[in-house]
Amino acid sequence: MAEDFSKAVDDGLRLSKRIYFGKDRAVAPPRPQPSMARSSTALLPSAAMVYAVICDPGIVDNPDIPSYQPHVHGRCDPPALIPLQMYAIEMEVDCHHDTAFVTVSGTWRLHCIKGSRSCDCRVAIPMGLQGSILGVEVRVPRKSYTTELVVLEDDKGNQNIAPPQNGGFLVSNIFTLTIPQIDGGSNLSIKIRWSQKIAYSNGMFSLNVPFNFPDFVNPAGKKIPKREKIRINLDAVTGGELLCKTISHPMKQVRRQAGTMDFVYESDVLAWSKVDFSFSYAVSSSHMTGGVILESASAHDLDQRELFYMYLSPGDIRSEKVFKREIIFLIDISGSMHGKLIEDAKSALLAALSKLNHHDSFNIIAFNGETYLFSKSMELASEDAVERATEWINVNFVAGGGTNISRPLNTAIEMLSNAQNSVPIIFLVTDGTVEDERQICAMVKNRMINGESICPRIYTFGIGLFCNHYFLRTLATFGRGQYDAAIDVDLIEPRMLTLFDKASSLVLANIKVDSLDDLGELEVYPSHIPDLSSEGPLILSGRYRGNFPKALKVEGILADFSNFVVDMKIHNAKDMPLQRVCARDQIEHITAQAWFLENKQLEQKVAKLSLQTGFISEYTRMLLLETDYLKKVKESKETSKKSDGGGQRMILLPHLGIGFGNLSATVENTPPGYKSKLPEVPEIFKAATSCCEALLSYCCCMCCIQCCSRLNNQCATALTQLCIAVGCFGCVTCCSEICCSGNEG
């Protein structure tokens, strides 16, 4: 899909050469870079953008200055996408601990369609790390569009719901939405909201928001003002001193208090921003710190229990304070992992092995329908062992066969059952779904309850959409590890290494929170507390009834197996929207619980939380609500006539959840992202001669000779005239193509 989108934009840029901007060549839009100088996905959006969806190339023209170019015959199949010019952009980012809420407002003009014609417009929204779309609002002349979440069962009988339109996720971090039939020359005012995570590494928080606009969205005109504005409101929650490290744009600090900072950037520019907005900061602390934020439920909250948000930060931890590593890599080598998937997984595994210290130990288990062990016992990570492991990987990592997770997982758990002076880790990587997932989770849960003081931690990594990500999340939760995924196969290696860095940098294990047993109806997410890593804070959230303790302690075991206690600071939430900050993680954890327990009440709980907070879920659907103001006014005047829609129409979008895996695709060894190959589509301009080529392709030369030998004189004359006409028509089409690529009026 990403390659198809990029190709459609490339076609749109070629088609936009028809647009006449006047005699001043300085206002002509810049040419895109040559196709040989860019990748197949180079034209994917790197900031919020809007595209005109072109099916009929004949409607492409300047709505203000008609060029009267020759008509273009044929249609664009698939449709071309012409990027619209942007006239204003503003962004505000609210950061709360590890979560950022981004709001982007902008104005785009449909500059490439005749004023008497209309076309669909596609909004594309790239988001940052683990981005989640929250809402889109669009205003055009006479109409407005707003996204809403619904439980689909409630709308089965609603006649105003249109069938699903083009939309959804182009890739895991790019959301698209189609706005139907906008008149040429119209301005689109768009407001976009999403949330994303703030990365943490080496004691520093880093925020990156897509804000890199290509040259061809700059308005074609010398005197058109361009003003961009960025505001960031930072609430680090911890209350410590904030140290600003790097920033991409020349921001001005407008407020600073303990744990909070506000910055503003506003400037008139010659061209829109050419870099993403990035901001990094550190919280000054040389030791582990933690706190709890409390918030009472609002009057409109469906759950009237109190909320809490608990965080534990690693501080500036030296490498020698990290637990010794005993790690077993479980790597899926089933048939669906062939090609790029297994090569990227292999590269990430080799990079992970190179990061092990000499006193660490490891093993590798490759699995499909069978199980293949690198060694019958754990190996010290010496240079010789890593070299032998590399040779073994190159020989045995051959994709083929089915998928059996239970057998290699049991083997790894047994192998690590006698681990000493370390936190043993199982690192599972798979792209498939298996039938006994709930039994596997139940087995791990029972082992963790009845097992030794430090049970093997299970870190899970899912690839693509055919694996059950909620199974992997549940397995990691019961195993007191963490879960991550690469929905896009291009992200396998960096995401795997990020998860490995977290797993191999544990600084506090067997974490317990005292004094919470007296609270009523207590819920904590995740239900099993994972270990604290130096590569990110530990966050717990939940609900309770009763009085929260005035003092709270968190206990754990350090790398030298000594006990450690952290006194938690407790304070009430002020400007922090606690429920929205916790909502996404809670939705994902409760969805995993609902899957594991097959509990309909938990599914309904997820749906209600999704509707209340605006975060998408597996049990809700997003729709686009269209309001036609002219129709609304007309219906309001016709008081005698009942209005069923009030000038409103609902357009249902495709399901936005990641689903619960695909067992049949796993059995058939279908690789992630695979789609059946469609017949070759026609070129953007289909010449009339193609019809003749298609017709003649069914006839051999001898058939043509025999047919022509039986024609009389009159028929032969008519056929000759027809061929001449078709040839002239083809020449006219070629001329029109030349006009498309270079005519300036």
Side-chain angles (χ1 to χ4, degrees):
M1 291 180 63
E3 291 184 5
D4 294 341
F5 186 93
S6 190
K7 176 63 168 60
V9 175
D10 187 39
D11 291 340
L13 291 174
R14 296 176 186 275
L15 189 58
S16 65
K17 295 176 184 179
R18 286 176 54 88
I19 304 171
Y20 178 60
F21 290 101
K23 296 182 179 180
D24 188 354
R25 297 180 63 89
V27 301
R31 295 179 180 272
Q33 58 183 351
S35 57
M36 294 184 64
R38 60 171 183 261
S39 66
S40 58
T41 58
L43 292 176
L44 290 180
S46 53
M49 291 184 62
V50 186
Y51 303 86
V53 182
I54 307 299
C55 296
D56 178 8
I59 68 174
V60 176
D61 205 345
N62 190 329
D64 304 318
I65 312 174
S67 60
Y68 303 106
Q69 297 197 48
H71 182 72
V72 179
H73 296 275
R75 297 181 65 81
C76 301
D77 185 15
L81 298 176
I82 300 181
L84 300 193
Q85 295 177 356
M86 188 172 69
Y87 283 73
I89 191 68
E90 181 177 338
M91 181 171 69
E92 183 168 0
V93 185
D94 295 315
C95 300
H96 303 281
H97 202 207
D98 73 332
T99 303
F101 294 95
V102 183
T103 302
V104 173
S105 303
T107 302
W108 287 262
R109 185 168 189 257
L110 189 52
H111 70 287
C112 54
I113 301 299
K114 295 177 181 178
S116 59
R117 304 297 295 272
S118 62
C119 72
D120 293 348
C121 289
R122 187 167 301 170
V123 183
I125 307 162
M127 299 173 287
L129 178 65
Q130 298 182 33
S132 180
I133 190 70
L134 296 177
V136 181
E137 301 172 17
V138 182
R139 294 187 65 87
V140 296
R142 302 185 300 277
K143 291 183 180 181
S144 68
Y145 299 85
T146 306
T147 57
E148 292 184 4
L149 291 178
V150 296
V151 179
L152 191 58
E153 295 177 351
D154 296 343
D155 294 281
K156 286 184 177 179
N158 196 324
Q159 300 300 318
N160 288 325
I161 294 185
Q165 301 292 315
N166 290 334
F169 287 99
L170 184 64
V171 292
S172 62
N173 69 321
I174 300 180
F175 177 76
T176 63
L177 183 70
T178 300
I179 309 299
Q181 295 304 298
I182 308 298
D183 294 333
S186 299
N187 285 341
L188 295 87
S189 298
I190 303 178
K191 184 177 182 179
I192 306 160
R193 295 177 293 108
W194 74 84
S195 76
Q196 65 179 69
K197 289 297 184 180
I198 303 174
Y200 183 93
S201 180
N202 298 322
M204 189 165 60
F205 289 92
S206 300
L207 172 70
N208 188 279
V209 182
F211 206 67
N212 181 359
F213 298 95
D215 290 332
F216 43 72
V217 303
N218 291 308
K222 290 182 176 180
K223 298 182 180 180
I224 298 177
K226 291 182 283 291
R227 189 170 186 82
E228 57 187 19
K229 180 179 179 180
I230 302 174
R231 182 182 180 94
I232 179 169
N233 308 309
L234 177 61
D235 180 5
V237 175
T238 58
E241 182 184 359
L242 295 179
L243 304 174
C244 181
K245 296 294 185 178
T246 61
I247 194 164
S248 59
H249 292 68
M251 309 288 288
K252 178 182 178 182
Q253 183 173 305
V254 294
R255 185 175 72 95
R256 185 182 184 97
Q257 295 178 355
T260 63
M261 289 190 297
D262 293 352
F263 294 88
V264 172
Y265 159 73
E266 189 171 4
S267 177
D268 293 319
V269 295
L270 297 176
W272 299 119
S273 172
K274 295 294 296 179
V275 295
D276 290 340
F277 175 73
S278 59
F279 181 78
S280 62
Y281 64 94
V283 180
S284 178
S285 177
S286 59
H287 57 277
M288 296 182 200
T289 58
V292 181
I293 303 173
L294 306 177
E295 184 179 72
S296 299
S298 66
H300 304 289
D301 198 337
L302 298 174
D303 190 339
Q304 286 297 304
R305 291 177 296 172
E306 311 295 301
L307 294 89
F308 73 89
Y309 178 92
M310 186 182 303
Y311 62 90
L312 189 62
S313 300
D316 186 12
I317 301 294
R318 297 193 306 273
S319 59
E320 57 264 26
K321 292 187 177 181
V322 174
F323 277 88
K324 188 182 79 170
R325 289 166 282 201
E326 289 191 67
I327 183 168
I328 296 181
F329 298 94
L330 268 63
I331 310 296
D332 187 346
I333 59 168
S334 60
S336 58
M337 286 284 290
H338 72 84
K340 177 177 173 57
L341 274 69
I342 199 166
E343 291 301 322
D344 286 359
K346 183 192 301 184
S347 298
L349 176 56
L350 294 176
L353 291 176
S354 68
K355 294 183 178 183
L356 296 176
N357 296 321
H358 294 310
H359 62 271
D360 297 329
S361 58
F362 75 98
N363 205 344
I364 305 169
I365 301 178
F367 68 91
N368 43 33
E370 303 296 329
T371 300
Y372 309 91
L373 275 72
F374 163 64
S375 175
K376 294 182 179 180
S377 60
M378 301 297 291
E379 295 266 356
L380 285 174
S382 62
E383 292 184 7
D384 176 66
V386 172
E387 288 180 4
R388 286 188 289 109
T390 302
E391 294 176 0
W392 184 87
I393 290 169
N394 291 329
V395 172
N396 290 275
F397 273 40
V398 179
T403 305
N404 185 326
I405 296 176
S406 178
R407 190 185 307 159
L409 182 60
N410 276 305
T411 301
I413 292 176
E414 290 294 335
M415 192 173 291
L416 292 173
S417 59
N418 296 321
Q420 296 179 352
N421 300 323
S422 67
V423 176
I425 294 170
I426 297 172
F427 197 96
L428 170 65
V429 179
T430 184
D431 72 332
T433 298
V434 293
E435 292 182 345
D436 58 344
E437 291 174 338
R438 290 187 177 87
Q439 292 86 341
I440 293 173
C441 291
M443 177 271 294
V444 171
K445 183 179 180 181
N446 291 332
R447 279 181 176 268
M448 295 302 154
I449 293 175
N450 304 320
E452 53 277 1
S453 59
I454 298 186
C455 299
R457 291 352 189 199
I458 301 178
Y459 286 73
T460 58
F461 186 83
I463 298 174
L465 289 174
F466 292 156
C467 64
N468 185 350
H469 292 273
Y470 294 102
F471 156 64
L472 296 176
R473 182 180 290 277
T474 303
L475 188 60
T477 299
F478 289 160
R480 300 185 74 166
Q482 295 189 43
Y483 149 86
D484 202 350
I487 304 299
D488 302 324
V489 295
D490 292 335
L491 299 177
I492 292 175
E493 187 171 355
R495 298 304 304 166
M496 268 187 68
L497 288 175
T498 298
L499 184 62
F500 171 77
D501 289 341
K502 291 180 179 179
S504 60
S505 304
L506 302 181
V507 295
L508 190 68
N510 280 15
I511 297 174
K512 299 178 182 179
V513 182
D514 66 353
S515 305
L516 294 183
D517 296 336
D518 296 334
L519 298 175
E521 301 181 40
L522 177 66
E523 287 184 8
V524 181
Y525 304 104
S527 56
H528 295 64
I529 302 177
D531 302 321
L532 175 64
S533 169
S534 63
E535 289 300 308
L538 171 63
I539 296 174
L540 306 175
S541 65
R543 298 252 185 182
Y544 68 96
R545 290 191 189 278
N547 296 320
F548 202 87
K550 299 295 184 182
L552 191 68
K553 296 181 182 296
V554 171
E555 300 177 356
I557 300 174
L558 294 173
D560 59 2
F561 282 80
S562 62
N563 294 324
F564 186 79
V565 178
V566 179
D567 292 319
M568 308 293 279
K569 301 177 182 178
I570 301 174
H571 49 95
N572 295 319
K574 295 181 180 179
D575 299 326
M576 181 178 179
L578 198 58
Q579 186 182 35
R580 294 182 67 215
V581 171
C582 304
R584 178 174 177 173
D585 289 339
Q586 290 187 2
I587 285 174
E588 291 176 345
H589 282 295
I590 300 173
T591 301
Q593 287 184 3
W595 165 82
F596 175 64
L597 299 173
E598 300 180 272
N599 190 312
K600 293 294 183 182
Q601 291 183 338
L602 289 177
E603 293 179 4
Q604 295 173 1
K605 183 176 180 178
V606 171
K608 291 177 181 178
L609 184 58
S610 174
L611 295 177
Q612 185 173 340
T613 60
F615 284 86
I616 59 177
S617 74
E618 299 295 338
Y619 312 110
T620 51
R621 291 284 293 272
M622 181 175 283
L623 57 79
L624 187 64
L625 180 63
E626 176 189 82
T627 302
D628 189 327
Y629 295 112
L630 290 181
K631 184 178 179 181
K632 194 172 184 178
V633 171
K634 182 179 179 181
E635 289 181 352
S636 65
K637 292 181 179 179
E638 297 176 357
T639 54
S640 60
K641 181 180 178 181
K642 287 188 176 181
S643 172
D644 58 346
Q648 292 186 332
R649 178 172 69 114
M650 288 180 280
I651 303 171
L652 190 64
L653 300 182
H655 181 59
L656 301 179
I658 59 176
F660 297 91
N662 190 326
L663 184 59
S664 61
T666 302
V667 172
E668 296 170 2
N669 278 328
T670 306
Y674 172 82
K675 60 180 180 179
S676 58
K677 188 175 181 180
L678 299 175
E680 185 178 353
V681 297
E683 295 294 331
I684 183 171
F685 299 112
K686 191 73 173 179
T689 53
S690 298
C691 299
C692 299
E693 293 172 359
L695 177 62
L696 294 177
S697 64
Y698 293 96
C699 302
C700 64
C701 296
M702 184 56 66
C703 292
C704 294
I705 293 173
Q706 292 175 353
C707 179
C708 293
S709 66
R710 289 177 171 82
L711 296 177
N712 58 29
N713 294 336
Q714 290 82 2
C715 186
T717 302
L719 183 59
T720 302
Q721 293 174 342
L722 176 61
C723 291
I724 294 172
V726 170
C728 294
F729 189 78
C731 294
V732 171
T733 305
C734 293
C735 291
S736 66
E737 292 185 23
I738 294 173
C739 292
C740 290
S741 62
N743 186 22
E744 297 180 6

